[in-house]
Amino acid sequence: MFRSILVTGGCGFIGANFVRLLLERGHAKIVVLDKLTYAGRLENLAGVDVPIVVGDITNLELVRHVCKTHNIDLIVNFAAETHVDQSILNPFVFTQTNVQGTHVLLEVARELGIRFHQISTDEVYGTIDGDHHSLETDPLRPRSPYSASKAAGDQLVQSYHVTYGLDTTISRGSNNVGAYQFLEKVVPLFTTNAILDLPLPVYGDGLQMRDYTHVLDHCTGILAILEHGKIGEVYNVGAGATISNLEMLEILLETVQKPKSLIRHVADRAGHDKRYSVNVQKLQQLGWNAQFSPRAAIATAAKWYLEHPNYWQPVRQSASFKAYYERQYANRLEAAA
Ligand SMILES: NC(=O)c1ccc[n+]([C@@H]2O[C@H](COP(=O)([O-])OP(=O)(O)OC[C@H]3O[C@@H](n4cnc5c(N)ncnc54)[C@H](O)[C@@H]3O)[C@@H](O)[C@H]2O)c1
């Protein structure tokens, strides 16, 4: 359907899964642009034969050059700073990449007449009460520097559609799990902690509700939007069911056969959102359905880390990961002891 697709952030977790899916579905020409931050790993595209340009989406000259050279007619923007805890520690890089970087991509898309799809998140809706499921028309109430920067990116995308008539779509995905996720995120972190018999430092009471979605369901949802979605629209993507973080831990502990006694309740994240849940009916009307329940998504993801120690051991042993883990969890674990 598209001649040549630029996948930004294609060496990250979801981007790499999306590139693999595109290839499986026979989309021949794909180019990846990725800065290879601490979260971007060439290993995520091991065995995949696509050109990878190492560079920053905030670099307008570079983005224009890549789009012209490869005759790009679709940009799918996964490139982002993505971890809420990192956004609390170091917020400025989030506005640079998630706002300024998105703006640069939009400007090049406008100049060259390129369709633009933005990968956003359910976190832009903020924490939601009761039994509400966020609709695409709900107000954006982001509460962390991460979600605020993603909400700003969404609004820039909408403004380019309205003001310049750029062909845009946005997907707002819920918490993804699956292969190739960076170890700072909760499911790979706690799965590998459990495999190593380390405590699992769960924030607060662990009763935060999340719609855990398998990354493959997210990727097929994005494809459905690209193929059948209406230009200018926003679509939620999720499993359509929520479970608490404690239930998530129980599923992954069961999968790797480790005891619940590894769970430690530690000081909560500042401004921690209590509940996210998205209404996915609009995407379902395009003929898409999630294939994994949250339980199946978490169990499948945990099994993948159990079976791929060569993927995650080098990260866990790296000085940068150890420094992050120490800064984020050492005091919390000590205080909880
Ligand atoms: N992980 C989730 O649960 C989730 C859920 C919903 C939406 N999202 C969104 O999906 C997208 C991808 O998330 P992910 O979990 O794969 O993230 P990730 O952190 O695993 O990967 C992000 C990728 O972007 C690259 N990158 C970062 N800054 C860049 C820059 N300035 N220029 C070029 N490349 C840059 C990194 O090197 C990395 O490869 C993000 O936009 C995120 O907001 C994630």
Side-chain angles (χ1 to χ4, degrees):
M1 190 176 59
F2 295 97
R3 193 176 53 229
S4 183
I5 304 173
L6 179 65
V7 179
T8 61
C11 296
F13 162 47
I14 309 173
N17 278 283
F18 185 70
V19 167
R20 290 170 184 274
L21 180 71
L22 282 179
L23 288 171
E24 259 174 51
R25 298 281 172 98
H27 290 269
K29 186 132 193 256
I30 300 157
V31 181
V32 167
L33 171 61
D34 197 300
K35 188 178 174 183
L36 295 181
T37 66
Y38 73 94
R41 297 186 70 197
L42 289 171
E43 292 89 330
N44 291 353
L45 288 178
V48 172
D49 185 18
V50 297
I52 299 173
V53 180
V54 177
D56 195 320
I57 60 166
T58 63
N59 182 340
L60 190 134
E61 292 303 320
L62 173 71
V63 173
R64 182 189 283 131
H65 174 74
V66 171
C67 288
K68 280 188 170 170
T69 309
H70 294 278
N71 207 10
I72 296 297
D73 62 347
L74 168 68
I75 297 173
V76 186
N77 180 29
F78 292 89
E81 290 292 334
T82 61
H83 190 41
V84 177
D85 287 337
Q86 298 278 12
S87 84
I88 295 169
L89 294 168
N90 182 22
F92 278 119
V93 68
F94 283 72
T95 36
Q96 279 158 22
T97 290
N98 302 358
V99 186
Q100 179 71 10
T102 301
H103 199 175
V104 164
L105 295 173
L106 286 165
E107 195 48 32
V108 172
R110 173 172 86 91
E111 182 187 318
L112 302 178
I114 296 172
R115 163 113 186 244
F116 186 86
H117 182 79
Q118 173 76 346
I119 307 298
S120 184
T121 163
D122 65 352
E123 299 193 28
V124 297
Y125 298 119
T127 192
I128 55 166
D129 293 329
D131 53 7
H132 181 63
H133 306 286
S134 298
L135 290 163
E136 291 83 351
T137 47
D138 282 357
L140 304 188
R141 294 202 176 94
R143 290 162 26 100
S144 72
Y146 164 64
S147 53
S149 67
K150 292 298 291 183
D154 282 17
Q155 292 186 323
L156 275 170
V157 175
Q158 297 288 50
S159 80
Y160 267 64
H161 173 67
V162 172
T163 306
Y164 302 112
L166 185 69
D167 282 359
T168 64
T169 38
I170 297 174
S171 50
R172 295 194 179 130
S174 53
N175 282 58
N176 275 218
V177 297
Y180 308 112
Q181 187 166 31
F182 193 71
L183 293 198
E184 67 190 351
K185 303 286 169 44
V186 66
V187 167
L189 179 71
F190 286 2
T191 305
T192 56
N193 272 20
I195 294 169
L196 297 168
D197 294 312
L198 294 171
L200 314 187
V202 57
Y203 288 145
D205 58 15
L207 297 179
Q208 306 85 4
M209 300 301 288
R210 299 289 183 262
D211 176 337
Y212 284 100
T213 302
H214 198 278
V215 66
L216 295 179
D217 281 332
H218 189 184
C219 291
T220 56
I222 297 163
L223 261 189
I225 297 163
L226 294 174
E227 288 168 0
H228 309 294
K230 194 167 161 216
I231 294 298
E233 293 291 315
V234 179
Y235 294 86
N236 290 333
V237 191
T242 53
I243 59 171
S244 72
N245 279 339
L246 277 184
E247 288 171 278
M248 172 272 290
L249 289 180
E250 285 173 14
I251 297 165
L252 76 80
L253 284 168
E254 241 172 64
T255 309
V256 301
Q257 299 191 330
K258 294 288 177 170
K260 282 190 209 167
S261 56
L262 287 175
I263 296 174
R264 299 280 187 289
H265 290 274
V266 300
D268 208 348
R269 165 191 281 167
H272 204 175
D273 288 342
K274 194 78 191 163
R275 180 172 173 267
Y276 306 128
S277 175
V278 283
N279 180 316
V280 293
Q281 284 174 5
K282 187 171 171 185
L283 180 57
Q284 286 172 331
Q285 282 161 12
L286 301 183
W288 170 92
N289 272 300
Q291 301 301 309
F292 294 80
S293 65
R295 166 171 279 278
I298 292 159
T300 309
K303 192 161 175 280
W304 191 86
Y305 291 93
L306 192 61
E307 289 169 352
H308 294 83
N310 291 344
Y311 176 80
W312 54 264
Q313 277 169 348
V315 176
R316 286 214 67 124
Q317 282 153 12
S318 69
S320 60
F321 182 81
K322 282 183 179 164
Y324 164 75
Y325 191 85
E326 177 77 12
R327 192 171 46 166
Q328 193 61 29
Y329 294 110
N331 288 343
R332 281 182 157 95
L333 278 166
E334 207 176 295

